[in-house]
Amino acid sequence: MPKAKKIYVARAIRGEKSDLVEFFIPCVSLLVREHNHQIINPHVFENNPIEVLARTVFKKTAAELTAEEIQNFDIQRLNESEIVIAEFSGASTGVGREIEYARTKHSFGNPAANILCLHHKHYESSASPMIRGMSHRDYPNVFVHCYDKENLRKILIEFFARFI
């Protein structure tokens, strides 16, 4: 059995949230569990991820959580990650930053990561062209796919088979 991988999941939290998390999150979560891998930032799967993150870093409420603490937590987890799965259908500068940081983190002495960037076909025109336009030829550790409810599982399985 292959070694368990540390997977970081990026999605819009405060920015525009697509209505797609109702099938994106369960599908990613199920496949990660099926392959015995670890999601290292599980708060993103919660209905109120900022409140859950606050408790994770020993704060009583989200109001006590500073922007610096969130940034430090995310960077620490990104540094540990071997795989990043980013859903960028909704507008989110945070997801864009997470993708770019993961893409280049090996330059800072951290383990390299393979990044799967996903946007839903109904949001293609509003999903960032800066991410949609990243070709695997130019960015060897980045894979960009357009998905829908019918092909999401297949895309994830093929990505996992290649890197996990």
Side-chain angles (χ1 to χ4, degrees):
M1 177 180 271
K3 175 185 161 277
K5 299 283 187 181
K6 292 183 177 182
I7 300 175
Y8 183 96
V9 178
R11 71 170 183 97
I13 301 288
R14 294 180 191 258
E16 177 188 329
K17 297 169 192 72
S18 72
D19 56 351
L20 307 166
V21 294
E22 65 193 46
F23 67 88
F24 173 79
I25 288 176
C27 186
V28 170
S29 182
L30 176 66
L31 284 172
V32 168
R33 283 193 317 270
E34 284 177 1
H35 289 87
N36 296 316
H37 300 298
Q38 177 189 8
I39 295 173
I40 58 177
N41 61 332
H43 68 281
V44 301
F45 291 101
E46 301 294 333
N47 288 331
N48 196 339
I50 301 302
E51 285 292 334
V52 175
L53 177 58
R55 290 191 302 275
T56 301
V57 297
F58 307 107
K59 302 287 182 175
K60 291 181 182 174
T61 67
E64 295 177 43
L65 190 60
T66 68
E68 185 177 6
E69 288 170 322
I70 293 170
Q71 193 269 166
N72 289 343
F73 181 89
D74 287 346
I75 293 297
Q76 176 191 9
R77 292 301 190 271
L78 281 163
N79 284 338
E80 296 173 25
S81 69
E82 300 164 271
I83 300 288
V84 173
I85 300 172
E87 207 291 343
F88 71 102
S89 296
S92 172
T93 55
V95 172
R97 179 156 188 262
E98 288 164 319
I99 292 168
E100 187 60 14
Y101 185 86
R103 187 185 73 75
T104 61
K105 72 186 184 97
H106 64 280
S107 304
F108 310 113
N110 297 303
N114 288 299
I115 305 134
L116 177 60
C117 301
L118 299 164
H119 67 283
H120 193 277
K121 71 178 184 179
H122 293 307
Y123 292 85
E124 186 154 17
S125 64
S126 60
S128 172
M130 289 294 290
I131 300 169
R132 284 191 349 253
M134 295 176 80
S135 73
H136 181 64
R137 179 188 69 252
D138 295 333
Y139 304 96
N141 63 332
V142 177
F143 302 83
V144 180
H145 288 277
C146 181
Y147 75 94
D148 59 25
K149 193 171 185 174
E150 287 72 41
N151 73 352
L152 177 59
R153 183 174 171 83
K154 180 179 185 271
I155 291 168
L156 290 165
I157 287 171
E158 288 174 1
F159 182 78
F160 283 5
R162 187 171 185 173
F163 296 106
I164 296 184

